[in-house]
Amino acid sequence: MIVAPPQHDAQKTGILSKFRLFSPILAGATLRERLIGCLGALIGICLTGLVSGFFMGQDPHLPLIVAPIGASAVLLFAVPASPLAQPWSIVGGNTISAFVGVTVSTLVRDPAIAIGLAVALAILVMSLTRSLHPPGGAAALTAVIGGAAVARAGFWFPIVPIGINSLILVLLGVVFHRLAGRQYPHRQAVAAVNTHKTADPPAALRVGFNTEDIDTAIASLNETLDISRADLDMLLRQVEMQALLRQRGDLTCADIMSRDVVTVTAGASAAEARALLLEHDIRTLPVLDAEGRLLGTVGLRELAATDLAAALPVSPAATAKPTDPAIGLVPRLTDGTIHAVVVTDETNRVIGIISQTDLLATLAKSLSQTGPAGLMGGYGQGI
């Protein structure tokens, strides 16, 4: 039986929702992230003005910093993952647009036409040079209506102060984001590849949606999205994985791992490791140090290119904790390179191992218990 909440509680909730002081308007935006962005803008703009003044002197007729840099700071510090906030977009977009503005102001004498033409051509040129940056429109406009100081600077204006301001701001942004533990410049998601060097698409892309589906969906919206296609692909696949975790997150690594783990010590030879792999018909061996802690793994792939009398070619191990959701291993065990995930305790000692076979058996059992609709409902054909 579902009990409806009291009417006054519902009314109270509705009233509070209307007076929230902060409500994220972008995906991933939180109050903490916005406060970090405010701090970054404060530091970035102040230091940009100080550094520009140091290099350009205190000429009263030469602006130390121009207004479009404030708009650039909003993108750089508030939405650093946006394609519009990347270094080339900021430096190239502002500088190129300022050149466009100066050129238009030189050739077109009618101010009403010049201001519109400058912004329109700036959008075109930024698009052609893959440096689209909204404040670039303001930079182009400033070059036309900036007054006597801009007119005297002429074609130096796009470089000093526009280019100098933009470059300093980006450098400060890189340092600030690194110190704040954030990634900048943004690195786009790497598309999955077939590691077996055949014409087949990667296993994870053979079912479910593909890049053509993403392109078709974007085209159907008739909108320009402020996210790259690669990042959108990664986001959608993460959504699929979260849906699967929600449905099958009760199974942990401890539930399905093999506990009698065949291991090898770091001092063993390649021949000894190969013999163990063949004897137990497995593909991956955890490699332990003298104290029994995990150093990495070795498999037939590494041993095939190694002299059997040589030392072990140890590779970094894919690891998990016993309480981690077992379904969460799907991306790693289907990428075509990892054949097993080593389960370790708090002291980095091996307590189990999960192979592709272990995970496949788990998924097959879930399917037989719930049926295709129970496992795939809301998830599509993502496995």
Side-chain angles (χ1 to χ4, degrees):
M1 181 178 65
I2 300 176
V3 179
Q7 185 176 0
H8 70 277
D9 288 346
Q11 291 175 345
K12 181 179 179 182
T13 302
I15 293 173
L16 290 176
S17 65
K18 293 180 181 179
F19 291 94
R20 290 180 63 185
L21 296 179
F22 176 82
S23 178
I25 57 176
L26 293 174
T30 63
L31 179 58
R32 177 181 178 276
E33 289 296 306
R34 283 293 177 260
L35 292 177
I36 291 176
C38 292
L39 178 62
L42 170 65
I43 297 172
I45 290 296
C46 290
L47 288 181
T48 297
L50 289 174
V51 175
S52 297
F54 176 79
F55 284 105
M56 296 185 291
Q58 300 298 324
D59 186 347
H61 301 293
L62 182 65
L64 301 181
I65 193 167
V66 288
I69 298 302
S72 296
V74 173
L75 289 170
L76 173 60
F77 294 105
V79 282
S82 169
L84 307 178
Q86 301 314 297
W88 171 239
S89 295
I90 295 177
V91 178
N94 282 336
T95 305
I96 291 171
S97 297
F99 270 115
V100 170
V102 172
T103 302
V104 169
S105 67
T106 301
L107 300 177
V108 180
R109 294 303 177 185
D110 187 334
I113 297 177
I115 55 177
L117 192 60
V119 175
L121 290 178
I123 294 174
L124 175 62
V125 175
M126 283 190 291
S127 299
L128 294 174
T129 56
R130 301 179 66 85
S131 62
L132 191 63
H133 186 59
L141 195 60
T142 302
V144 176
I145 63 173
V150 175
R152 281 194 300 270
F155 281 96
W156 279 105
F157 176 71
I159 301 175
V160 182
I162 293 285
I164 297 297
N165 283 173
S166 301
L167 182 60
I168 294 173
L169 185 69
V170 165
L171 293 176
L172 292 172
V174 170
V175 174
F176 175 82
H177 285 304
R178 295 288 171 83
L179 293 177
R182 307 168 89 190
Q183 178 184 292
Y184 185 83
H186 176 65
R187 292 190 295 273
Q188 289 191 9
V190 179
V193 296
N194 188 335
T195 57
H196 302 298
K197 299 179 181 179
T198 63
D200 293 315
L205 305 185
R206 293 175 196 172
V207 292
F209 66 87
N210 54 33
T211 54
E212 289 76 14
D213 296 327
I214 294 176
D215 290 339
T216 302
I218 292 175
S220 69
L221 294 175
N222 196 28
E223 297 282 352
T224 299
L225 304 180
D226 187 13
I227 183 173
S228 70
R229 184 177 288 98
D231 284 344
L232 184 58
D233 183 285
M234 178 189 68
L235 176 62
L236 291 175
R237 297 189 187 281
Q238 187 62 32
V239 169
E240 286 189 328
M241 177 51 58
Q242 291 303 317
L244 186 56
L245 284 171
R246 173 171 50 81
Q247 296 167 16
R248 285 292 175 270
D250 53 330
L251 283 171
T252 67
C253 291
D255 293 327
I256 71 169
M257 68 184 184
S258 300
R259 299 173 184 270
D260 185 13
V261 185
V262 180
T263 63
V264 66
T265 61
S269 66
E272 292 174 296
R274 181 176 180 275
L276 282 173
L277 288 168
L278 295 176
E279 177 186 351
H280 294 278
D281 195 20
I282 54 179
R283 303 181 67 177
T284 302
L285 279 177
V287 181
L288 311 181
D289 63 14
E291 298 180 351
R293 293 184 174 87
L294 181 67
L295 286 178
T297 59
V298 63
L300 289 175
R301 178 185 299 162
E302 294 90 351
L303 293 175
T306 304
D307 187 285
L308 293 181
L312 289 180
V314 181
S315 300
T319 62
K321 296 303 179 185
T323 55
D324 290 346
I327 300 299
L329 303 182
V330 169
R332 283 189 283 177
L333 288 177
T334 57
D335 66 359
T337 59
I338 297 173
H339 302 294
V341 173
V342 183
V343 183
T344 58
D345 62 13
E346 296 78 9
T347 63
N348 201 36
R349 296 181 185 276
V350 177
I351 59 175
I353 193 167
I354 299 174
S355 67
Q356 292 170 322
T357 303
D358 296 326
L359 186 61
L360 181 59
T362 300
L363 294 176
K365 185 159 187 175
S366 295
L367 210 69
S368 66
Q369 291 175 343
T370 63
L375 181 60
M376 302 302 239
Y379 182 71
Q381 297 180 355
I383 300 179

